[in-house]
C-alpha cells in the first residue's frame, strides 16, 4: 500500500505542481507540501484510534498518496530559491539532515515510550506526543516560506502568483 500509493502520489503531485505553475502560482511546491503535511497530520493522528483494519489501511494509503508528492515538492522548492552554484550542496545537506533527524526522532520516540508510556501500546502514544507538535511547527514554517517565495516573486521576478 505504501509503495503503490507513495509512487502514485509522486506522479499526481508532479502533475498538480505543473498545473499550478501554469496557472501562475509561484509557490506551488510549497502549497503541495503544506497540504500533504496537513493531510498526513490528520490521517496519522486518527489511525491509532480506529479499530477497523480496512479503515486504517485506507487512511494510511490516502496519507501516503497525498504525502508522496512531498519529496519532489521539496526538491523543486529548493531549486527555485537556491542559486545554481549551491543547489547540489544544499540538496545534499537537506537530505543528510532529514536522515539524521529521522533516526534521532525514532530513538527519542522509543525512549519516551519506555519512560513515560509503559505498556504494549506505549509507542503509539509516544509517537502522537511527538508527531503532532513537530508537524504543526513544520506546517507553520512551510506557510512562512510560501509567503516569502510569493514576496520574492512579486518583487524580483515580476510574477503575480
Amino acid at each position: 500500500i505504501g509503495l503503490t500509493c507513495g509512487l502514485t502520489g509522486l506522479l499526481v503531485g508532479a502533475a498538480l505542481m505543473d498545473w499550478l505553475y501554469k496557472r501562475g502560482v509561484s509557490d506551488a511546491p510549497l502549497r503541495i507540501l503544506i497540504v500533504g503535511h496537513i493531510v498526513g497530520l490528520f490521517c496519522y493522528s486518527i489511525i491509532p484510534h480506529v479499530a477497523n483494519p480496512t479503515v486504517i489501511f485506507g487512511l494510511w494509503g490516502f496519507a501516503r498518496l497525498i504525502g508522496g508528492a512531498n519529496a519532489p515538492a521539496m526538491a523543486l522548492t529548493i531549486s527555485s530559491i537556491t542559486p545554481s552554484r549551491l543547489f547540489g550542496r544544499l540538496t545534499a545537506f537537506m537530505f543528510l539532515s532529514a536522515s539524521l533527524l529521522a533516526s534521532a526522532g525514532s530513538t527519542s520516540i522509543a525512549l519516551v515510550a519506555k519512560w513515560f508510556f509503559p505498556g504494549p501500546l506505549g509507542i503509539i502514544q509516544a509517537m502522537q506526543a511527538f508527531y503532532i507538535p513537530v508537524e504543526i511547527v513544520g506546517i507553520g514554517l512551510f506557510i512562512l516560506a510560501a509567503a516569502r517565495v510569493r514576496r520574492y516573486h512579486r518583487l524580483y521576478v515580476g510574477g503575480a502568483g
Side-chain angles (χ1 to χ4, degrees):
I1 290 175
L3 180 64
T4 304
C5 292
L7 292 176
T8 304
L10 289 171
L11 299 173
V12 169
L16 184 58
M17 280 185 280
D18 288 344
W19 181 76
L20 288 171
Y21 268 134
K22 288 178 186 175
R23 299 188 60 82
V25 179
S26 61
D27 60 345
L30 280 166
R31 289 185 186 197
I32 299 293
L33 282 169
I34 292 166
V35 169
H37 280 274
I38 289 172
V39 169
L41 177 64
F42 173 75
C43 291
Y44 292 133
S45 297
I46 297 295
I47 285 174
H49 306 290
V50 175
N52 187 340
T54 305
V55 175
I56 291 172
F57 282 116
L59 285 169
W60 183 52
F62 186 66
R64 293 300 305 141
L65 176 73
I66 300 299
N70 284 351
M74 182 62 79
L76 191 56
T77 300
I78 290 173
S79 70
S80 68
I81 62 175
T82 304
S84 59
R85 68 184 187 283
L86 296 176
F87 177 66
R89 285 179 276 184
L90 186 62
T91 305
F93 178 73
M94 188 228 16
F95 282 108
L96 173 70
S97 48
S99 298
L100 291 174
L101 288 173
S103 61
S106 301
T107 304
S108 300
I109 289 172
L111 290 174
V112 167
K114 179 181 176 182
W115 293 332
F116 298 109
F117 301 106
L121 298 179
I123 194 76
I124 294 172
Q125 296 165 334
M127 286 175 66
Q128 286 209 317
F130 271 98
Y131 181 73
I132 292 172
V134 168
E135 279 297 307
I136 289 172
V137 168
I139 291 167
L141 291 174
F142 288 142
I143 290 171
L144 289 174
R148 299 291 294 188
V149 168
R150 278 195 303 273
R151 182 174 182 266
Y152 171 80
H153 279 272
R154 189 174 54 250
L155 293 176
Y156 301 109
V157 180

